[in-house]
Amino acid sequence: MSLSLGIIGLPNVGKSTLFNALTGTAVACSNYPFCTVEANVGVVPVPDARLERLGELLAPEALTPTSVRFVDIAGLVRGASQGEGLGNRFLANIRDVDAVVQVVRCFEDGTIGHVEGDTDPERDIDIIRTELLLADLETAEKNHDKAAKDGRRGDKEAAVLAESLGRARDALEAGTRIRDASLSDSDRRLLRDYRFLTDKDALYVANIAEDDMESAQGWVERLSAATGEPDWKIVPLAARLESELAGLSEEDRLEFVSEWGLSENGLARLVKAGYRLLGLVTFFTIKGTEVRAWTVPQGATAVEAAGTIHTDMADGFIRAEVVTYEKLVEAGSMHAAREKGEARTEGRDYVMQDGDVMLVRFN
């Protein structure tokens, strides 16, 4: 599977600049609302120092990272749920991603206008949250009325669905997002197909000025208070600077990042937060001359991980040979890891751990 993150926010907050920095592309970035009209999509290799280390150790001909898909979605404005701006075109794009990354403007720049007139991160967060709630409320009300009508005609399944939609509607009317609502597992299963916008978890990028990098923690605390989310869901970065760094060599980029007192660039920090948000882990495979990284949900079994590689592996699964990344590096090779007894034989129900290196035996 590939992690899919939708970049959202008001116009002129730095969404497309961030997208360019993350993906190494050059989509239009201009000082006017709705510069981004169609959603831009970029698939980016996930930076992982462990994969690089395995490449150094095993010297494969191919080193293949897992990937993350970023979608730069057109700017949202007040009233989007009622068709203002790009309205439903914007909202429809959000439904197709795993989670959202809301870019919040935390910098002052007189040359870049703000659609609301001035810079106010808390207000901007509230606008986005309100519009997503209103869009979901419309979805819940419309579908509840239809299901209730069918239920009165004797459709028992529709009657049950109407009850679930009614509870969702009531929560939204009270200003509660679907993911925070007191809904049963049965309700959530019935509501899944509606892909409610507020059912998606979110990260927040505090798009700060380059001069604010040393005081970034202050922005983390401010946005954490504004959103009610823990600090780790707030990723401070300077999108314009990250975009410039994307054009540098790896050596120069690492030097600049180190000067800021950071161990990773913005992409690495954002992806790491995205994996934590969605509960994802990475495992590695060694096949012939290729070392490759793969992404699976936490709790995935060995046979499910094998199916991620190829369905034939899952269908004909016999067993898996597993060694942790740390033990493999310590041993120096798979052969040495086997001799030391570090390579274990696991069955189909083994739960994959982050950093596992797995060889699948199958018919």
Side-chain angles (χ1 to χ4, degrees), residues 243-271:
S243 184
E244 294 173 358
L245 292 180
L248 300 179
S249 67
E250 181 67 15
E251 182 179 352
D252 288 343
R253 187 160 56 246
L254 289 174
E255 182 179 345
F256 273 103
V257 169
S258 178
E259 288 178 0
W260 297 335
L262 300 172
S263 58
E264 299 171 306
N265 65 10
L267 171 59
R269 289 184 286 120
L270 185 56
V271 169

Side-chain angles (χ1 to χ4, degrees), residues 45-335:
V46 172
D48 194 322
R50 296 172 301 182
L51 182 65
E52 298 298 326
R53 181 71 183 95
L54 289 175
E56 295 171 0
L57 185 70
L58 305 175
E61 292 180 7
L63 200 62
T64 308
T66 187
S67 62
V68 58
R69 180 174 173 265
F70 287 105
V71 183
D72 178 25
I73 298 171
L76 177 65
V77 295
R78 193 189 299 272
S81 59
Q82 304 302 315
E84 291 294 326
L86 297 178
N88 292 333
R89 291 174 65 184
F90 166 90
L91 299 171
N93 287 327
I94 300 178
R95 299 188 194 280
D96 296 329
V97 298
D98 298 320
V100 294
V101 176
Q102 182 178 340
V103 181
V104 183
R105 178 167 167 173
C106 300
F107 64 88
E108 296 285 354
D109 189 332
T111 67
I112 301 176
H114 193 292
V115 70
E116 288 288 322
D118 61 346
T119 301
D120 185 337
E122 288 82 0
R123 177 205 57 213
D124 294 356
I125 288 169
D126 187 61
I127 289 173
I128 298 287
R129 183 168 290 185
T130 298
E131 293 305 322
L132 298 185
L133 280 167
L134 290 173
D136 276 355
L137 179 57
E138 181 182 3
T139 298
E141 288 177 334
K142 180 176 64 177
N143 287 285
H144 170 267
D145 292 347
K146 181 180 183 303
K149 184 177 180 180
D150 292 340
R152 288 192 294 270
R153 291 174 176 171
D155 186 332
K156 294 181 179 179
E157 290 185 358
V160 173
L161 175 60
E163 292 179 0
S164 295
L165 284 165
R167 284 186 281 272
R169 176 202 59 202
D170 293 345
L172 291 162
E173 284 181 339
T176 302
R177 294 171 292 183
I178 292 295
R179 70 183 181 88
D180 297 329
S182 298
L183 298 171
S184 67
D185 291 342
S186 176
D187 284 337
R188 293 190 181 279
R189 283 194 297 272
L190 290 172
L191 298 174
R192 191 174 297 148
D193 288 344
Y194 296 100
R195 297 186 298 168
F196 284 109
L197 304 173
T198 62
D199 197 27
K200 296 183 184 298
D201 212 340
L203 298 173
Y204 296 83
V205 165
N207 187 11
I208 61 180
E210 180 180 348
D211 293 343
D212 282 347
M213 288 300 298
E214 292 184 358
S215 57
Q217 184 57 32
W219 285 108
V220 171
E221 294 170 1
R222 180 171 170 178
L223 266 60
S224 178
T227 60
E229 301 287 6
D231 284 3
W232 68 265
K233 287 189 177 183
I234 316 297
V235 182
L237 53 80
R240 182 183 294 177
L241 185 58
E242 291 279 351
S243 184
E244 294 173 358
L245 292 180
L248 300 179
S249 67
E250 181 67 15
E251 182 179 352
D252 288 343
R253 187 160 56 246
L254 289 174
E255 182 179 345
F256 273 103
V257 169
S258 178
E259 288 178 0
W260 297 335
L262 300 172
S263 58
E264 299 171 306
N265 65 10
L267 171 59
R269 289 184 286 120
L270 185 56
V271 169
K272 185 173 291 186
Y275 268 58
R276 181 174 177 181
L277 184 76
L278 294 172
L280 304 175
V281 297
T282 299
F283 73 96
F284 305 96
T285 57
I286 303 170
K287 182 180 179 182
T289 58
E290 180 187 37
V291 176
R292 183 165 182 167
W294 305 85
T295 301
V296 291
Q298 286 178 357
T301 62
V303 70
E304 290 169 338
T308 300
I309 302 170
H310 199 287
T311 54
D312 287 349
M313 288 189 173
D315 293 340
F317 185 94
I318 300 173
R319 64 184 181 276
E321 185 179 21
V322 180
V323 60
T324 67
Y325 162 79
E326 292 80 9
K327 293 298 183 182
L328 176 56
V329 170
E330 183 181 315
S333 69
M334 281 298 297
H335 177 73

